[in-house]
Amino acid sequence: MSDHGFEVPPQLASKPTAPPANSRRSFFAITAAVVTGSIAVLTPIGVGIAAFLTPLFRKSKSPEVRIALLDQVPDDGMPRYFPVVADREDAWTRYPAQRVGAVYLIRNAGEEKPTAFTAKCPHAGCFIGYTPGAKIFQCPCHTSAFKLDGSRVNGDAEVAPRGMDTLPVSIRQAQTGDGNSIAEVWVEFIDFQTGHKEKIPTA
């Protein structure tokens, strides 16, 4: 019955119409395609972001490096030169077994472990030289000279702003194949900034 008192024919009465089955299938197909496409696009982006951020959360490696056997550093007070070989890595790339510097080891009579000096001059980063039997170290770049204890020969008159940089040393026992042990010299190899009176690590 209508508002005007007459009955609307059943065929004219409005009925809710359901969307065709084909339309529903098309909608789900399009939605699935959009989701799949989004995943396909976002996955490599996510992998790239993760690879980019990984170095920020990577734990820094210990700077301790095996330098020599203790037997290679007699307690005669004479400096011995040793290259420092270690795995080097920047933010995203690792370079195994790279030469990263050099040290001088000196063990005086009766000492259990040697003193370690970095071979890098604190003035401009040149490698400090030593002639076997000499009483001083010398930098070939700007004539700075250092005593065997690392101090500057001419004090503040030297071009180098400080003495040679010492490095922490530890002695570790390592097992050999025949069941014996040998003493190894390990050094905490730290790179210091040049041109300063203070020892300031570069990183």
Side-chain angles (χ1 to χ4, degrees), residues 100-121:
V100 296
V103 298
Y104 286 103
L105 298 180
I106 302 177
R107 186 156 65 114
N108 295 315
E111 290 184 343
E112 177 185 357
K113 63 182 180 180
T115 299
F117 297 102
T118 178
K120 177 182 173 181
C121 182

Side-chain angles (χ1 to χ4, degrees), residues 78-81 104 128-138 148:
M78 292 292 101
R80 266 77 180 182
Y81 177 90
Y104 286 103
I128 297 169
Y130 174 74
T131 302
K135 298 299 182 182
I136 60 172
F137 297 98
Q138 284 191 304
L148 297 188

